[in-house]
Amino acid sequence: MTKENPTLADVARLAGVSQMTASRALNGRSGVSRETRDEVLRIASDIGYVVNRTAQKLSGRRNGIIGIITPTLDTQFSSELILGAGRAARAAGCEVLIYTMSDEDRRMHHDVLGLVRQFSDALLAILPRDSLWLDSLAKAKLPVVVIDQRGTMHRFPSVSVDNYGGALLAVEHLIELGHTRIAFLGGGDSIEGVRDRQRGYVDALARHGLPHAPELIASGDLSQMTAFEVASRLINLADPPTAIFTANDQSAFGAIAAAREAGLRVPDDMSVVGFDDIPMAEQFHPALTTVRQPFQQMASSAVNTLLAQVAGNDASVQRVTFAAELVVRDSSGTVTSVRRRSAALQKARKPGR
Amino acid sequence: MTKENPTLADVARLAGVSQMTASRALNGRSGVSRETRDEVLRIASDIGYVVNRTAQKLSGRRNGIIGIITPTLDTQFSSELILGAGRAARAAGCEVLIYTMSDEDRRMHHDVLGLVRQFSDALLAILPRDSLWLDSLAKAKLPVVVIDQRGTMHRFPSVSVDNYGGALLAVEHLIELGHTRIAFLGGGDSIEGVRDRQRGYVDALARHGLPHAPELIASGDLSQMTAFEVASRLINLADPPTAIFTANDQSAFGAIAAAREAGLRVPDDMSVVGFDDIPMAEQFHPALTTVRQPFQQMASSAVNTLLAQVAGNDASVQRVTFAAELVVRDSSGTVTSVRRRSAALQKARKPGR
DNA sequence: CTGAAAGCGCTAACAT
DNA sequence: ATGTTAGCGCTTTCAG
């Protein structure tokens, strides 16, 4: 029937106690006798009472909601993170609410943050690419943890993967396989993590005495389509690379498609190594060799930091970095004979397209 | 400085009017003189006032938030829909809050719905595959619109694409290209839309006098990986299909990978047509021929229906269906000579794997 | 056109 | 261990 949602007052009345007592019992606070508590809980569950989190919040208390703000939803990168955050939050008895800030309407940072704050205790920010955001965040008076973007000002705790170290692993893997002309397909330099990957690439090369070839460093925008184009250019170089390390998995997919388009087989004629290890990496054909970000751990660390801050344990501004792990699959292999490669490229170039 | 967020009371005081007047002005209600209104708005904007939506909601008013509940975030299907909904909502001056119900914790339908209701005026449900959900939704006393799943009980307004018609388009396209052995790679029958696609496939065949070959109907789970396996089986049939129509794009990607694995070229030796036209479809290589769902339109229709209901225009339970559109790209082509195909398959089979 | 009072559901801060 | 009071920020009555 159309009976309204049960409220705390209902529970209290039915249990024959005051609202306050009911509240205490429900929240597991001290100051309630076992008996009373059990009774209250029983009644609450009986009538299907669900605490009203907006009221909770309005009254000044924390309401166990953590807000996630993300620029996009369509990257597996963010979905993985969100998934992990949700799990971690629920494990702690919290819920998660997601707010997307699509690129178009970066207009009202302020409003959005204001809104999020009204609804939640803390905010998990998944790196919008511009730092304007960071400014707005600074004004929001609530705990914030930023993922994968250490603000230049170090204003917020952040959690990220060891991008530099991961890149090192990837490139050294390629070097071990015998590659000497290794290209880097980056993603612009608006994202700090991506810049770190490039640094790792450069240093790995240097460390192994490999020449620094500027023409082998190209930059896309982390999208598959752009990566396809950029990789195509790389492949058509007079002296093309035998391997490409890309700044993310999506780019790797694009690079692989480009290699195929050029008549090269992966990994026989061209090795490709990505970064992220999104679920697709394993499903792709060929399965992608890539650097794994421990999304679940990162998310859960972020959530816990947030929760600690909410609880008052001021963990000051800290940055947590997780180790990256190289996952070797089928897109990387030993260098093929130069003859074969050249032949393949020649053949592919002639017909044109 | 650490001054708290401005509240309605602040605006009112500064403007020298009562809270009520300020409220009316801010909400664009009648009963306020132009002058007063302008003054209030000016002040509000000056001090950066942002209405507190939780308070708004608590006081019984609608707060302009529409909640979206989705089982997954990692399918481009849902991201597209969410994106579209966000746009439509913002166009109407509303905001959108997303709640994910990961498969694991389908436990507390009730709580989740309760929570969503507290935060928002209406609910857009991108449905989890089981209908238990529908039951819970029925109890939630707030406007609901369901996307792509017309509940068996027709309890909610729904918007979906013409799955049946879309499938017809896809299969007829294949038939026009000369294919006669066309397989269907489905996705189980828990989703009504997917079942409709299968019906479309069957009917298209029948309509063109093509034999109904049960062995050419296989079912996956809409994931790329499963599709790879299922498609592999299809390809290894004694009399394999020359084309595969898949229930969604992800499955098409898997099928293409399987074809390649078997030594077949797409589209030369095997045509593949998907369904959805997620952004990846265009970026994939080969670009995928697929049936487009007008995500943006669907989402915006859903949002508008929701908004209308909130506004009180009870549009009763209606179902909106959008036409599907065939997008021909590079993964479908005319049938190749059987000789070539057989040769390719023979060759691929011998080495084994 | 404007304002005062009361309350949404809950929780701190004081009582008892 | 339990109850009372007051108030979070806003809005709906109902009065001027």
Side-chain angles (χ1 to χ4, degrees):
Chain A
M1 309 308 173
T2 334
K3 81 172 148 201
E4 285 307 313
N5 290 322
T7 144
L8 182 60
D10 296 330
V11 177
R13 187 164 28 73
L14 259 33
V17 297
S18 74
Q19 280 200 35
M20 223 26 247
T21 304
S23 170
R24 283 192 267 253
L26 261 351
N27 291 344
R29 302 255 175 128
S30 62
V32 191
S33 72
R34 264 206 79 83
E35 289 184 346
T36 319
R37 156 160 306 148
D38 291 346
E39 177 64 359
V40 168
L41 292 181
R42 199 183 58 69
I43 305 252
S45 141
D46 269 14
I47 65 176
Y49 169 77
V50 187
V51 61
N52 185 323
R53 309 238 186 196
T54 73
Q56 227 168 12
K57 190 72 192 170
L58 191 58
S59 80
R61 187 190 192 278
R62 58 197 169 94
N63 68 165
I65 301 263
I66 78 174
I68 300 188
I69 187 157
T70 171
T72 55
L73 237 29
D74 60 355
T75 64
Q76 282 193 313
F77 177 82
S78 34
S79 344
E80 286 297 300
L81 247 14
I82 294 176
L83 205 75
R87 267 200 276 267
R90 276 185 289 270
C94 293
E95 293 293 349
V96 145
L97 238 32
I98 304 154
Y99 190 89
T100 58
M101 186 71 196
S102 46
D103 323 356
E104 317 143 35
D105 50 22
R106 39 175 89 272
R107 32 162 192 139
M108 337 191 75
H109 305 297
H110 192 69
D111 287 21
V112 170
L113 265 332
L115 194 156
V116 171
R117 180 178 51 247
Q118 295 163 5
F119 286 101
S120 42
D121 296 337
L123 182 56
L124 176 52
I126 300 178
L127 93 163
R129 307 193 181 171
D130 56 27
S131 51
L132 288 180
W133 258 95
L134 291 174
D135 289 333
S136 312
L137 281 182
K139 285 182 204 142
K141 293 264 175 268
L142 85 174
V144 173
V145 167
V146 172
I147 290 223
D148 197 44
Q149 177 83 303
R150 318 205 237 198
T152 335
M153 311 311 260
H154 310 310
R155 278 177 297 203
F156 306 106
S158 72
V159 3
S160 54
V161 73
D162 179 4
N163 291 291
Y164 177 83
L168 238 40
L169 287 177
V171 176
E172 289 184 333
H173 164 65
L174 255 11
I175 293 176
E176 273 170 27
L177 288 174
H179 295 274
T180 52
R181 278 189 75 72
I182 303 172
F184 177 71
L185 204 169
D189 37 43
S190 62
I191 299 182
E192 184 168 341
V194 170
R195 289 200 301 271
D196 290 341
R197 292 171 203 175
Q198 178 162 346
R199 281 198 306 112
Y201 158 83
V202 171
D203 286 6
L205 254 36
R207 212 182 265 193
H208 291 264
L210 254 28
H212 173 67
E215 77 273 18
L216 292 187
I217 298 188
S219 191
D221 57 9
L222 301 181
S223 83
Q224 182 165 348
M225 196 154 24
T226 303
F228 180 93
E229 291 157 16
V230 175
S232 296
R233 279 205 294 278
L234 249 17
I235 290 168
N236 281 314
L237 248 30
D239 185 6
T242 60
I244 302 181
F245 169 49
T246 62
N248 69 338
D249 285 350
Q250 289 289 349
S251 292
F253 300 148
I256 289 176
R260 284 215 181 103
E261 181 81 6
L264 299 177
R265 292 169 312 171
V266 177
D268 311 283
D269 306 320
M270 171 69 79
S271 286
V272 176
V273 176
F275 201 111
D276 278 350
D277 196 27
I278 58 178
M280 265 283 268
E282 189 177 9
Q283 298 178 21
F284 202 78
H285 194 78
L288 192 68
T289 294
T290 187
V291 178
R292 171 175 299 165
Q293 295 209 49
F295 292 115
Q296 175 69 51
Q297 288 176 57
M298 290 165 69
S300 121
S301 157
V303 167
N304 291 333
T305 304
L306 245 19
L307 257 22
Q309 278 181 258
V310 171
N313 315 349
D314 193 332
S316 70
V317 176
Q318 60 179 0
R319 298 128 135 275
V320 180
T321 302
F322 283 93
E325 180 193 350
L326 179 71
V327 182
V328 178
R329 297 207 184 90
D330 308 331
S331 66
S332 59
T334 55
V335 278
T336 187
S337 88
V338 175
R339 261 245 310 293
R340 225 212 72 72
R341 281 174 47 78
S342 305
L345 281 173
Q346 286 308 336
K347 194 172 140 215
R349 273 172 200 169
K350 237 182 294 164
R353 188 188 173 148
Chain B
M1 312 306 174
T2 333
K3 81 171 149 200
E4 284 309 312
N5 290 322
T7 138
L8 182 60
D10 296 330
V11 178
R13 187 164 27 74
L14 258 34
V17 298
S18 74
Q19 278 201 35
M20 223 25 249
T21 303
S23 169
R24 284 193 266 254
L26 260 353
N27 290 344
R29 303 255 175 128
S30 62
V32 191
S33 71
R34 264 205 79 84
E35 289 185 344
T36 319
R37 156 159 310 150
D38 291 348
E39 175 65 359
V40 169
L41 293 180
R42 201 182 56 70
I43 305 255
S45 143
D46 269 13
I47 65 175
Y49 169 77
V50 187
V51 58
N52 184 321
R53 308 236 186 199
T54 72
Q56 230 170 8
K57 190 70 191 171
L58 189 58
S59 79
R61 188 189 193 275
R62 58 198 167 94
N63 67 166
I65 301 262
I66 78 175
I68 300 188
I69 186 156
T70 171
T72 54
L73 237 30
D74 59 355
T75 63
Q76 282 191 314
F77 177 82
S78 34
S79 345
E80 286 297 300
L81 248 14
I82 294 176
L83 205 75
R87 267 199 276 267
R90 277 186 289 270
C94 293
E95 293 292 349
V96 143
L97 238 30
I98 303 154
Y99 189 90
T100 58
M101 184 72 195
S102 46
D103 323 356
E104 316 143 37
D105 51 21
R106 39 176 88 274
R107 31 164 192 139
M108 336 192 74
H109 305 297
H110 192 69
D111 288 22
V112 171
L113 265 332
L115 193 156
V116 172
R117 181 178 49 246
Q118 295 163 5
F119 286 100
S120 41
D121 295 337
L123 181 56
L124 176 50
I126 298 177
L127 268 209
R129 311 197 177 167
D130 57 28
S131 53
L132 288 180
W133 260 94
L134 289 174
D135 290 334
S136 312
L137 281 182
K139 287 183 202 139
K141 293 262 173 269
L142 84 173
V144 173
V145 167
V146 172
I147 289 226
D148 196 44
Q149 176 83 303
R150 318 205 238 195
T152 334
M153 310 311 260
H154 310 310
R155 279 178 294 204
F156 306 106
S158 72
V159 3
S160 53
V161 73
D162 179 5
N163 291 291
Y164 177 83
L168 238 41
L169 288 177
V171 176
E172 290 183 335
H173 164 64
L174 255 10
I175 293 176
E176 273 169 28
L177 289 173
H179 296 274
T180 53
R181 277 190 75 73
I182 302 171
F184 177 70
L185 204 169
D189 37 43
S190 61
I191 300 183
E192 185 169 337
V194 170
R195 288 199 302 272
D196 290 342
R197 292 171 202 174
Q198 177 161 346
R199 281 198 305 112
Y201 158 82
V202 171
D203 286 5
L205 255 36
R207 212 181 264 195
H208 291 264
L210 255 27
H212 173 67
E215 76 274 19
L216 291 187
I217 298 188
S219 191
D221 57 8
L222 302 182
S223 82
Q224 183 164 350
M225 197 156 20
T226 303
F228 180 93
E229 291 158 15
V230 175
S232 296
R233 278 204 294 279
L234 248 18
I235 290 167
N236 282 313
L237 247 30
D239 185 7
T242 60
I244 303 181
F245 169 48
T246 63
N248 69 338
D249 286 350
Q250 290 289 350
S251 292
F253 299 149
I256 289 176
R260 283 214 180 105
E261 181 80 8
L264 299 177
R265 292 168 312 169
V266 176
D268 311 279
D269 306 321
M270 171 69 78
S271 288
V272 176
V273 176
F275 200 111
D276 278 350
D277 195 26
I278 57 178
M280 264 285 265
E282 190 177 8
Q283 300 178 20
F284 202 78
H285 195 79
L288 192 69
T289 293
T290 187
V291 178
R292 171 176 298 164
Q293 296 208 49
F295 292 114
Q296 175 69 52
Q297 288 177 57
M298 290 166 69
S300 120
S301 157
V303 167
N304 292 333
T305 303
L306 244 19
L307 257 23
Q309 277 183 259
V310 171
N313 314 350
D314 193 333
S316 71
V317 176
Q318 61 178 359
R319 299 126 134 277
V320 179
T321 301
F322 284 93
E325 179 192 351
L326 179 70
V327 182
V328 179
R329 297 206 183 90
D330 308 332
S331 66
S332 58
T334 55
V335 278
T336 186
S337 88
V338 176
R339 262 245 310 293
R340 225 211 73 68
R341 280 175 47 79
S342 304
L345 280 172
Q346 285 308 333
K347 193 171 142 215
R349 273 174 197 166
K350 241 187 282 158
R353 191 199 171 143

mmCIF file of all heavy atoms in Angstrom, chain B residues 90-109:
data_model
loop_
_atom_site.group_PDB
_atom_site.id
_atom_site.type_symbol
_atom_site.label_atom_id
_atom_site.label_comp_id
_atom_site.label_asym_id
_atom_site.label_seq_id
_atom_site.Cartn_x
_atom_site.Cartn_y
_atom_site.Cartn_z
ATOM 1 N N ARG B 90 21.002 18.229 -18.081
ATOM 2 C CA ARG B 90 21.559 19.565 -17.896
ATOM 3 C C ARG B 90 20.854 20.574 -18.783
ATOM 4 O O ARG B 90 20.665 21.722 -18.390
ATOM 5 C CB ARG B 90 23.064 19.551 -18.145
ATOM 6 C CG ARG B 90 23.831 19.102 -16.909
ATOM 7 C CD ARG B 90 25.320 19.217 -17.111
ATOM 8 N NE ARG B 90 25.799 18.216 -18.050
ATOM 9 C CZ ARG B 90 26.212 17.009 -17.693
ATOM 10 N NH1 ARG B 90 26.206 16.657 -16.425
ATOM 11 N NH2 ARG B 90 26.625 16.154 -18.588
ATOM 12 N N ALA B 91 20.466 20.113 -19.946
ATOM 13 C CA ALA B 91 19.738 21.014 -20.836
ATOM 14 C C ALA B 91 18.451 21.466 -20.168
ATOM 15 O O ALA B 91 17.930 22.536 -20.444
ATOM 16 C CB ALA B 91 19.439 20.320 -22.154
ATOM 17 N N ALA B 92 17.940 20.634 -19.272
ATOM 18 C CA ALA B 92 16.692 20.968 -18.599
ATOM 19 C C ALA B 92 16.966 21.541 -17.216
ATOM 20 O O ALA B 92 16.069 21.637 -16.383
ATOM 21 C CB ALA B 92 15.815 19.729 -18.500
ATOM 22 N N GLY B 93 18.210 21.885 -16.977
ATOM 23 C CA GLY B 93 18.548 22.478 -15.689
ATOM 24 C C GLY B 93 18.619 21.488 -14.545
ATOM 25 O O GLY B 93 18.553 21.872 -13.381
ATOM 26 N N CYS B 94 18.772 20.230 -14.888
ATOM 27 C CA CYS B 94 18.878 19.222 -13.832
ATOM 28 C C CYS B 94 20.277 18.645 -13.780
ATOM 29 O O CYS B 94 21.092 18.866 -14.660
ATOM 30 C CB CYS B 94 17.893 18.091 -14.086
ATOM 31 S SG CYS B 94 16.189 18.600 -13.941
ATOM 32 N N GLU B 95 20.520 17.908 -12.744
ATOM 33 C CA GLU B 95 21.798 17.233 -12.629
ATOM 34 C C GLU B 95 21.525 15.745 -12.549
ATOM 35 O O GLU B 95 20.404 15.309 -12.308
ATOM 36 C CB GLU B 95 22.539 17.704 -11.376
ATOM 37 C CG GLU B 95 22.984 19.150 -11.429
ATOM 38 C CD GLU B 95 24.067 19.395 -12.462
ATOM 39 O OE1 GLU B 95 24.613 18.408 -12.988
ATOM 40 O OE2 GLU B 95 24.358 20.564 -12.742
ATOM 41 N N VAL B 96 22.574 15.005 -12.715
ATOM 42 C CA VAL B 96 22.444 13.567 -12.749
ATOM 43 C C VAL B 96 23.409 12.930 -11.763
ATOM 44 O O VAL B 96 24.546 13.363 -11.630
ATOM 45 C CB VAL B 96 22.747 13.085 -14.187
ATOM 46 C CG1 VAL B 96 23.480 11.786 -14.165
ATOM 47 C CG2 VAL B 96 21.470 12.991 -14.982
ATOM 48 N N LEU B 97 22.922 11.962 -11.048
ATOM 49 C CA LEU B 97 23.773 11.259 -10.097
ATOM 50 C C LEU B 97 23.708 9.784 -10.451
ATOM 51 O O LEU B 97 22.636 9.247 -10.695
ATOM 52 C CB LEU B 97 23.236 11.453 -8.680
ATOM 53 C CG LEU B 97 24.139 12.082 -7.634
ATOM 54 C CD1 LEU B 97 25.122 13.065 -8.233
ATOM 55 C CD2 LEU B 97 23.313 12.738 -6.556
ATOM 56 N N ILE B 98 24.849 9.158 -10.481
ATOM 57 C CA ILE B 98 24.861 7.768 -10.927
ATOM 58 C C ILE B 98 25.128 6.826 -9.773
ATOM 59 O O ILE B 98 25.998 7.064 -8.934
ATOM 60 C CB ILE B 98 25.972 7.560 -11.966
ATOM 61 C CG1 ILE B 98 25.772 8.522 -13.120
ATOM 62 C CG2 ILE B 98 25.979 6.128 -12.453
ATOM 63 C CD1 ILE B 98 27.047 8.846 -13.839
ATOM 64 N N TYR B 99 24.389 5.769 -9.762
ATOM 65 C CA TYR B 99 24.633 4.767 -8.750
ATOM 66 C C TYR B 99 24.844 3.438 -9.439
ATOM 67 O O TYR B 99 24.028 3.016 -10.238
ATOM 68 C CB TYR B 99 23.451 4.676 -7.790
ATOM 69 C CG TYR B 99 23.810 3.814 -6.647
ATOM 70 C CD1 TYR B 99 24.401 4.363 -5.505
ATOM 71 C CD2 TYR B 99 23.650 2.439 -6.716
ATOM 72 C CE1 TYR B 99 24.809 3.554 -4.481
ATOM 73 C CE2 TYR B 99 24.063 1.627 -5.689
ATOM 74 C CZ TYR B 99 24.645 2.190 -4.577
ATOM 75 O OH TYR B 99 25.062 1.378 -3.572
ATOM 76 N N THR B 100 25.948 2.804 -9.160
ATOM 77 C CA THR B 100 26.153 1.508 -9.809
ATOM 78 C C THR B 100 25.814 0.393 -8.858
ATOM 79 O O THR B 100 26.100 0.427 -7.681
ATOM 80 C CB THR B 100 27.607 1.269 -10.237
ATOM 81 O OG1 THR B 100 28.433 1.353 -9.093
ATOM 82 C CG2 THR B 100 28.015 2.250 -11.273
ATOM 83 N N MET B 101 25.198 -0.574 -9.436
ATOM 84 C CA MET B 101 24.783 -1.731 -8.686
ATOM 85 C C MET B 101 25.598 -2.876 -9.255
ATOM 86 O O MET B 101 25.163 -3.527 -10.186
ATOM 87 C CB MET B 101 23.297 -1.934 -8.993
ATOM 88 C CG MET B 101 22.653 -3.024 -8.236
ATOM 89 S SD MET B 101 22.498 -2.484 -6.557
ATOM 90 C CE MET B 101 22.165 -4.041 -5.773
ATOM 91 N N SER B 102 26.777 -3.066 -8.729
ATOM 92 C CA SER B 102 27.597 -4.132 -9.305
ATOM 93 C C SER B 102 26.938 -5.470 -9.014
ATOM 94 O O SER B 102 26.182 -5.626 -8.066
ATOM 95 C CB SER B 102 29.010 -4.076 -8.745
ATOM 96 O OG SER B 102 28.975 -3.911 -7.365
ATOM 97 N N ASP B 103 27.220 -6.400 -9.860
ATOM 98 C CA ASP B 103 26.550 -7.690 -9.815
ATOM 99 C C ASP B 103 26.656 -8.333 -8.444
ATOM 100 O O ASP B 103 25.728 -8.959 -7.958
ATOM 101 C CB ASP B 103 27.167 -8.647 -10.827
ATOM 102 C CG ASP B 103 27.557 -7.899 -12.083
ATOM 103 O OD1 ASP B 103 27.275 -6.699 -12.145
ATOM 104 O OD2 ASP B 103 28.136 -8.521 -12.975
ATOM 105 N N GLU B 104 27.808 -8.167 -7.861
ATOM 106 C CA GLU B 104 28.066 -8.820 -6.580
ATOM 107 C C GLU B 104 26.988 -8.507 -5.548
ATOM 108 O O GLU B 104 26.426 -9.398 -4.937
ATOM 109 C CB GLU B 104 29.403 -8.346 -6.020
ATOM 110 C CG GLU B 104 30.477 -8.316 -7.087
ATOM 111 C CD GLU B 104 31.404 -7.131 -6.894
ATOM 112 O OE1 GLU B 104 31.690 -6.800 -5.743
ATOM 113 O OE2 GLU B 104 31.814 -6.538 -7.908
ATOM 114 N N ASP B 105 26.743 -7.228 -5.409
ATOM 115 C CA ASP B 105 25.867 -6.863 -4.312
ATOM 116 C C ASP B 105 24.441 -6.562 -4.732
ATOM 117 O O ASP B 105 23.888 -5.524 -4.415
ATOM 118 C CB ASP B 105 26.422 -5.661 -3.580
ATOM 119 C CG ASP B 105 26.753 -4.573 -4.552
ATOM 120 O OD1 ASP B 105 26.202 -4.588 -5.663
ATOM 121 O OD2 ASP B 105 27.534 -3.716 -4.205
ATOM 122 N N ARG B 106 23.899 -7.459 -5.462
ATOM 123 C CA ARG B 106 22.492 -7.288 -5.796
ATOM 124 C C ARG B 106 21.666 -7.535 -4.535
ATOM 125 O O ARG B 106 20.456 -7.413 -4.518
ATOM 126 C CB ARG B 106 22.059 -8.258 -6.882
ATOM 127 C CG ARG B 106 22.645 -9.640 -6.773
ATOM 128 C CD ARG B 106 22.089 -10.578 -7.819
ATOM 129 N NE ARG B 106 22.802 -10.562 -9.070
ATOM 130 C CZ ARG B 106 22.560 -9.706 -10.060
ATOM 131 N NH1 ARG B 106 21.614 -8.808 -9.919
ATOM 132 N NH2 ARG B 106 23.226 -9.745 -11.162
ATOM 133 N N ARG B 107 22.399 -7.891 -3.516
ATOM 134 C CA ARG B 107 21.800 -8.141 -2.208
ATOM 135 C C ARG B 107 20.679 -7.177 -1.832
ATOM 136 O O ARG B 107 19.529 -7.569 -1.683
ATOM 137 C CB ARG B 107 22.875 -8.043 -1.143
ATOM 138 C CG ARG B 107 23.946 -7.033 -1.550
ATOM 139 C CD ARG B 107 24.819 -6.595 -0.413
ATOM 140 N NE ARG B 107 25.592 -5.443 -0.863
ATOM 141 C CZ ARG B 107 25.850 -4.373 -0.146
ATOM 142 N NH1 ARG B 107 25.415 -4.307 1.087
ATOM 143 N NH2 ARG B 107 26.530 -3.386 -0.631
ATOM 144 N N MET B 108 21.027 -5.909 -1.742
ATOM 145 C CA MET B 108 20.096 -5.003 -1.111
ATOM 146 C C MET B 108 19.372 -4.077 -2.064
ATOM 147 O O MET B 108 19.470 -2.876 -1.974
ATOM 148 C CB MET B 108 20.859 -4.162 -0.110
ATOM 149 C CG MET B 108 22.132 -4.832 0.379
ATOM 150 S SD MET B 108 22.790 -3.988 1.788
ATOM 151 C CE MET B 108 21.624 -4.527 3.031
ATOM 152 N N HIS B 109 18.624 -4.662 -2.951
ATOM 153 C CA HIS B 109 17.861 -3.844 -3.869
ATOM 154 C C HIS B 109 17.172 -2.723 -3.128
ATOM 155 O O HIS B 109 17.187 -1.587 -3.507
ATOM 156 C CB HIS B 109 16.767 -4.673 -4.552
ATOM 157 C CG HIS B 109 17.283 -5.872 -5.220
ATOM 158 N ND1 HIS B 109 18.155 -5.809 -6.274
ATOM 159 C CD2 HIS B 109 17.077 -7.176 -4.987
ATOM 160 C CE1 HIS B 109 18.440 -7.029 -6.670
ATOM 161 N NE2 HIS B 109 17.795 -7.880 -5.904
#
